[in-house]
Amino acid sequence: MTTRIPLSVLDLAPMSQGMTRRAALDHSLQLAQLAEELGYHRYWMAEHHGSRTFMSSATALLLGRAAEHTSSIRLGAGGVMLPNHAPLMVAEYYGTLATIYGDRFDLGLGRAPGTDPITASALRRGSAQVVDFAEDVASLSQFLSPAPVEESQESVRGAELAALGLDPNPKDGRAWVRAIPGEGTQVPLWMLASSLAGAQVAAALGLPLSFASHFAPQLLGPAVSTYREQFRANAPTAQVAQPVVMAGVNVLVADSQSEAEELFTSYERMKARMRRGRSGPLTAPEPELAHPVNDPMEPTAVLGNQETVVDYLDNFVERYGLDELIVTSYAFDPAARRRSYELLAKQWSK
């Protein structure tokens, strides 16, 4: 058996034509359960808002549901778009999950809006400037850390008074803001990136890097080099002692190359519509549009049978010296998507 790096799943809860939104979320839950059964290391969900294609807007809720129906696989946000949220609230949400389900959660953090500008405004999105983002990450890290000192047991706080309809005394102001639950859970943080700037932030903060090479493969090499050169293990926010790199790949595995190429036409049509400013569910495959896709230099997508795809991924891992792979897969039929993950996992474990 070949020793390979960990393999993980990235899910956006895609919806297919003729499918209800509830069904799309149910299929994602089934995928999380299958990923655990097949030995995948993590199951992450990406935050997207206002999409008719992807149902993964409330990731904390969906990950809580996944935790309720799995027992061992790591679950996480891939990621939380931090400028969309107050760091305190993120710490409370994921700290609550960790309090209930234990050390099974990861927090991948990104700067992108995960939506269009109008929806981002409706989310009351804050600044995504690198400096502001780094400060938000530092705040989140602090909220998830143990409290620096223990409060007096008699000390009453505003939240407790408000729950009883009482007004807090201004003279009894808090010494610091605390995330409860959340404080002390130390949910692991990851930095998501699709550019050199994101890689630089990950290095400066001493965080593991998850690079979105499933849609930005051209920048993977420069980003990884920059991250490794600039990595600061002594940063106050550091989570790892040395650089750790996870990279994303869009894969579709089937019993034959031709079948994979045919199934992939659903994704290609979806992407083409989005480029023209139109969204919507995945549509049925169109065999007449099938064509070879694999590009050894820019692995935006890797298609084929399990042997072909794993050989490709082995070379990809070696080329960039990766520590983990996270794969996403799209298919009109959810059964075909699950089959893709099943074939990949079985070949990966050989």
Side-chain angles (χ1 to χ4, degrees):
M1 184 176 74
T2 304
T3 301
R4 293 189 168 95
I5 64 174
L7 190 64
S8 295
V9 172
L10 176 64
D11 186 19
L12 285 73
M15 191 166 77
S16 297
Q17 196 169 60
M19 180 186 292
T20 65
R21 293 171 180 174
R22 169 63 188 266
L25 295 176
D26 288 347
H27 285 301
S28 282
L29 175 59
Q30 291 176 35
L31 177 59
Q33 293 172 312
L34 179 66
E36 177 172 84
E37 179 185 329
L38 294 171
Y40 281 91
H41 186 46
R42 309 176 203 271
Y43 171 84
W44 280 10
M45 298 197 80
E47 175 186 335
H48 285 271
H49 298 277
S51 171
R52 294 191 298 134
T53 309
F54 308 120
M55 300 295 105
S56 55
S57 57
T59 49
L61 292 176
L62 297 177
L63 291 169
R65 186 188 189 205
E68 201 65 44
H69 293 85
T70 58
S71 59
S72 59
I73 191 170
R74 292 200 65 83
L75 303 168
V80 166
M81 301 297 106
L82 195 52
N84 293 344
H85 312 277
L88 174 61
M89 186 164 287
V90 175
E92 290 175 340
Y93 282 4
Y94 284 84
T96 298
L97 289 172
T99 299
I100 296 171
Y101 301 106
D103 180 21
R104 292 180 57 198
F105 289 88
D106 306 309
L107 255 174
L109 305 171
R111 289 190 300 138
T115 189
D116 60 88
I118 296 175
T119 305
S121 177
L123 288 166
R124 299 185 178 181
R125 180 172 169 80
S127 172
Q129 296 297 317
V130 170
V131 173
D132 298 322
F133 176 67
E135 289 178 355
D136 281 350
V137 175
S139 295
L140 176 58
S141 176
Q142 186 61 52
F143 287 138
L144 294 169
S145 299
V149 295
E150 186 60 42
E151 284 189 302
S152 166
Q153 294 297 316
E154 292 80 25
S155 178
V156 178
R157 294 310 185 188
E160 296 153 335
L161 291 168
L164 300 177
L166 302 174
D167 293 325
N169 186 336
K171 295 181 180 179
D172 295 332
R174 302 190 58 136
W176 67 90
V177 178
R178 298 173 66 176
I180 302 175
E183 181 180 273
T185 57
Q186 297 180 299
V187 176
L189 305 183
W190 284 73
M191 182 59 58
L192 307 187
S194 59
S195 66
L196 291 179
Q200 289 171 329
V201 173
L205 297 179
L207 300 180
L209 172 68
S210 181
F211 195 83
S213 41
H214 56 297
F215 64 78
Q218 302 91 338
L219 294 174
L220 176 60
V224 169
S225 296
T226 297
Y227 169 68
R228 287 174 174 151
E229 290 166 4
Q230 299 181 11
F231 183 81
R232 290 183 56 212
N234 62 347
T237 51
Q239 303 261 314
V240 287
Q242 59 189 21
V244 174
V245 179
M246 175 198 296
V249 184
N250 187 358
V251 305
L252 189 53
V253 188
D255 291 315
S256 68
Q257 182 73 31
S258 60
E259 182 186 359
E261 290 171 0
E262 178 181 330
L263 293 172
F264 195 67
T265 60
S266 298
Y267 170 80
E268 290 185 305
R269 290 189 65 199
M270 175 187 71
K271 195 171 180 181
R273 286 196 308 273
M274 289 184 177
R275 284 194 178 119
R276 298 194 300 270
R278 298 167 52 203
S279 68
L282 286 160
T283 55
E286 297 191 32
E288 64 276 12
L289 298 179
H291 63 93
V293 173
N294 295 349
D295 179 347
M297 298 304 293
E298 297 183 0
T300 304
V302 185
L303 317 180
N305 63 27
Q306 57 265 51
E307 292 86 1
T308 299
V309 171
V310 167
D311 286 347
Y312 194 114
L313 294 178
D314 280 338
N315 291 330
F316 181 57
V317 169
E318 183 177 0
R319 180 182 177 191
Y320 294 104
L322 302 176
D323 300 290
E324 188 167 339
L325 277 177
I326 188 163
V327 297
T328 187
S329 190
Y330 297 94
F332 172 74
D333 183 353
R337 184 167 72 130
R338 291 192 295 270
R339 175 69 170 161
S340 175
Y341 283 111
E342 180 181 4
L343 290 170
L344 176 59
K346 290 181 176 179
Q347 186 69 22
W348 194 255
S349 64
K350 288 185 178 179

